[in-house]
Amino acid sequence: MTISSCQFTDTIWSINVECGHDRNVPFNGNVNSIGRYKTQNIEHLIISFMLYEPQVGWDYTTFTKQTLEYLHTSQMFPNLKHVYLLHEGTRVNINELPDHYMVFGHNPRYFLLRSEGTEERSHGLDTTRDWSKSLDKEDQKALWLIGDITGRVHKLPLLYQFFKENTLDRLDYSLTNSLNPYGAFKDSISQDYQPILNGIDEDLNLEDLKKIYSQLERTLPGDSFSEVIKSGKVNSFDVANYLFPDEWNNASLIVMPETWFDNPNPAHWSDDFKGITEDMEVRPFWEHDIYSTTEKTWKPIATKKPFMGISKFDLQEKTLEGLGFKTFRKYTSEPDLINKDISISEYISIAHKRITSFLDHAKSYRQGIIEDIEFNYRHWQYVLDQEWQLLYRSCPPLKHVPKHKILRLWVMPCDPNIHLSPDENYSGKIVK
């Protein structure tokens, strides 16, 4: 577990917790602030738990309790009055916490908050390009920024489905390993690739998967993501939110399966991580009836594009619909998942049919799709404003902090390149 602790403003301190396997190591006073700091004037403490990639169901009550006890005993912040807990999927039982300070909790939709400024800070986006113009082309194509696929059960199987069905020409896609320090797969950890094998549903092994990956790996001609990342001058998390390849502007559909098809229930941890009990395991998204959406979802909404995903029980689409957004599976040959107990390979087959059928019939549904795109854009602006207001009501000190500082602080707790002031990348000037 990685903990980043630094001064936010004159009166606000932040502890950013990257959720890990060990949840019983409290904050012990380590400070990561780049500049000078003064703890005497701190009145508000914000503890945020891995907002950028929530782990559903993990309990951080013990961590929070021990941290607050430490702060009270050490008097690191002698004037501390309020503690704010910000978490998307983790759990903290406030009733078990000591009453040294006033404690408040809030569940922010972190990636939705991050979507603000997508248009203003975008790099490569043509804001004058109307989606309907893509339908005037002879062939309709979907754009899929796949990125890295290691351990992602839905990605390589779905791309392989296009290969098997001889429909790869329906996709503009990138499949790269830019963010992965190892190869396409970890040889030594079987759970990283076994779900991928299950998704393909063929008699394959790891070496077969490597060959498939090598055969399908490619970078889009108009995508500078890998180039920018390799420069080492920018933070990849920001680039993912604001960088657009040339192909985005001409796409008829954005394919955006989210990072996890389903949060894995790591029964295998009992062998690899001693002391991990069932109540500490990551729980499946559907058990909590939530699905955390990232920039993969908010980018097409903010840039007025139709999008298509695949998730267990269609929870990805249902989460968006629960927020009031329109989704686009109704314009496909497979609008509903009737049988909830289908296999992963069947989900993959449905995803393929949805994408190709949408492309085949988008012209006939043109007006309805345009209306849904415009509705989503307006609704996104409304919901985004509501989310910021909820955050400010739940954590009033943040009202006086520039939004860019809030979002930059919670990007990656273990990344030493994150600063609290705007830099060239954040302002939209991508450094190459």
Side-chain angles (χ1 to χ4, degrees):
M1 181 169 68
T2 302
I3 301 174
S4 173
S5 165
C6 61
Q7 187 158 1
F8 206 1
T9 70
D10 290 341
T11 61
I12 303 175
W13 197 275
S14 174
I15 298 177
N16 195 7
V17 183
E18 181 186 32
C19 301
H21 305 311
D22 189 348
R23 300 175 192 86
N24 297 311
V25 180
F27 168 71
N28 61 3
N30 290 332
V31 176
N32 309 103
S33 285
I34 298 172
R36 298 178 180 178
Y37 54 87
K38 295 181 179 180
T39 62
Q40 293 83 358
N41 297 326
I42 298 299
E43 298 179 3
H44 312 285
L45 172 66
I46 298 174
I47 303 178
S48 56
F49 297 94
M50 201 176 180
L51 298 180
Y52 62 92
E53 191 166 324
Q55 301 298 300
V56 175
W58 281 5
D59 192 321
Y60 275 82
T61 302
T62 300
F63 166 87
T64 307
K65 179 179 179 180
Q66 293 177 346
T67 295
L68 296 185
E69 290 286 8
Y70 167 83
L71 292 175
H72 177 67
T73 302
S74 67
Q75 287 295 293
M76 177 178 176
F77 309 124
N79 291 307
L80 181 62
K81 298 178 179 129
H82 304 111
V83 177
Y84 303 91
L85 308 178
L86 303 180
H87 46 96
E88 227 182 319
T90 55
R91 293 180 288 121
V92 176
N93 186 346
I94 293 182
N95 292 328
E96 295 185 21
L97 302 181
D99 58 1
H100 308 307
Y101 316 103
M102 293 287 291
V103 180
F104 307 90
H106 180 59
N107 178 10
R109 291 186 175 89
Y110 174 60
F111 276 95
L112 175 53
L113 297 175
R114 275 182 57 83
S115 70
E116 178 161 301
T118 295
E119 298 167 286
E120 291 81 0
R121 290 191 290 273
S122 65
H123 181 81
L125 177 67
D126 185 352
T127 56
T128 67
R129 190 70 61 89
D130 187 279
W131 169 79
S132 63
K133 292 180 180 178
S134 68
L135 302 182
D136 297 332
K137 298 183 300 180
E138 186 174 338
D139 59 329
Q140 309 304 312
K141 285 201 173 187
L143 174 65
W144 188 5
L145 304 179
I146 303 173
D148 170 53
I149 53 82
T150 307
R152 311 309 198 209
V153 65
H154 54 283
K155 289 188 174 182
L156 191 60
L158 179 52
L159 183 60
Y160 187 59
Q161 185 77 15
F162 276 88
F163 174 78
K164 289 192 301 181
E165 297 290 338
N166 197 29
T167 51
L168 268 180
D169 61 340
R170 310 304 302 275
L171 288 178
D172 278 329
Y173 75 91
S174 62
L175 176 63
T176 68
N177 227 35
S178 300
L179 300 180
N180 212 322
Y182 41 83
F185 301 95
K186 294 180 185 177
D187 291 6
S188 60
I189 305 180
S190 63
Q191 65 267 19
D192 274 355
Y193 63 84
Q194 188 59 51
I196 301 177
L197 288 172
N198 297 339
I200 292 178
D201 196 24
E202 292 183 9
D203 186 16
L204 304 174
N205 57 32
L206 176 60
E207 293 305 315
D208 295 324
L209 285 184
K210 288 181 177 180
K211 291 177 182 178
I212 293 172
Y213 182 93
S214 177
Q215 185 176 8
L216 296 176
E217 186 175 17
R218 62 169 294 191
T219 300
L220 288 171
D223 190 1
S224 58
F225 182 84
S226 297
E227 176 188 349
V228 173
I229 292 302
K230 290 176 182 177
S231 73
K233 297 178 181 179
V234 297
N235 178 265
S236 62
F237 211 70
D238 282 335
V239 173
N241 208 58
Y242 305 122
L243 193 63
F244 294 84
D246 296 339
E247 291 80 4
W248 186 282
N249 300 310
N250 295 318
S252 299
L253 177 70
I254 304 299
V255 180
M256 32 64 76
E258 285 288 358
T259 301
W260 296 109
F261 175 80
D262 188 16
N263 234 342
N265 186 351
H268 57 270
W269 281 7
S270 58
D271 297 325
D272 297 330
F273 299 95
K274 302 303 179 183
I276 298 295
T277 59
E278 183 176 355
D279 66 316
M280 298 170 69
E281 293 178 352
V282 178
R283 307 309 303 170
F285 283 119
W286 53 266
E287 285 191 4
H288 295 258
D289 197 28
I290 65 171
Y291 198 98
S292 299
T293 52
T294 72
E295 84 285 346
K296 301 175 186 67
T297 294
W298 302 114
K299 282 171 74 172
I301 291 177
T303 58
K304 298 186 178 182
K305 292 281 188 180
F307 52 87
M308 196 71 61
I310 181 68
S311 58
K312 196 166 189 177
F313 306 155
D314 269 342
L315 192 53
Q316 183 179 20
E317 276 80 6
K318 290 174 182 176
T319 298
L320 289 173
E321 291 163 1
L323 289 172
F325 289 94
K326 306 286 187 182
T327 57
F328 298 88
R329 68 184 188 274
K330 61 187 175 185
Y331 299 115
T332 76
S333 62
E334 306 287 332
D336 295 305
L337 294 174
I338 299 175
N339 184 357
K340 291 189 176 183
D341 295 322
I342 61 178
S343 65
I344 293 177
S345 61
E346 289 174 291
Y347 274 107
I348 298 303
S349 177
I350 290 173
H352 176 263
K353 291 176 182 177
R354 282 180 173 175
I355 293 166
T356 55
S357 65
F358 180 94
L359 296 174
D360 288 337
H361 303 292
K363 286 185 179 179
S364 61
Y365 292 121
R366 179 193 297 253
Q367 190 56 40
I369 295 173
I370 290 175
E371 291 175 0
D372 287 350
I373 288 173
E374 294 294 336
F375 175 89
N376 279 347
Y377 182 81
R378 294 190 302 270
H379 190 63
W380 162 67
Q381 293 176 314
Y382 168 77
V383 173
L384 180 59
D385 178 69
Q386 294 298 302
E387 286 296 318
W388 278 109
Q389 295 307 320
L390 281 172
L391 179 62
Y392 292 150
R393 288 199 294 270
S394 301
C395 190
L398 291 181
K399 289 181 181 180
H400 311 290
V401 178
K403 289 179 179 179
H404 79 267
K405 284 192 174 184
I406 298 173
L407 297 177
R408 293 288 283 173
L409 190 67
W410 299 330
V411 171
M412 290 274 188
C414 55
D415 192 326
N417 298 317
I418 296 302
H419 306 282
L420 298 186
S421 59
D423 57 21
E424 286 183 311
N425 175 41
Y426 195 86
S427 64
K429 299 176 182 177
I430 300 296
V431 181
K432 294 187 179 181

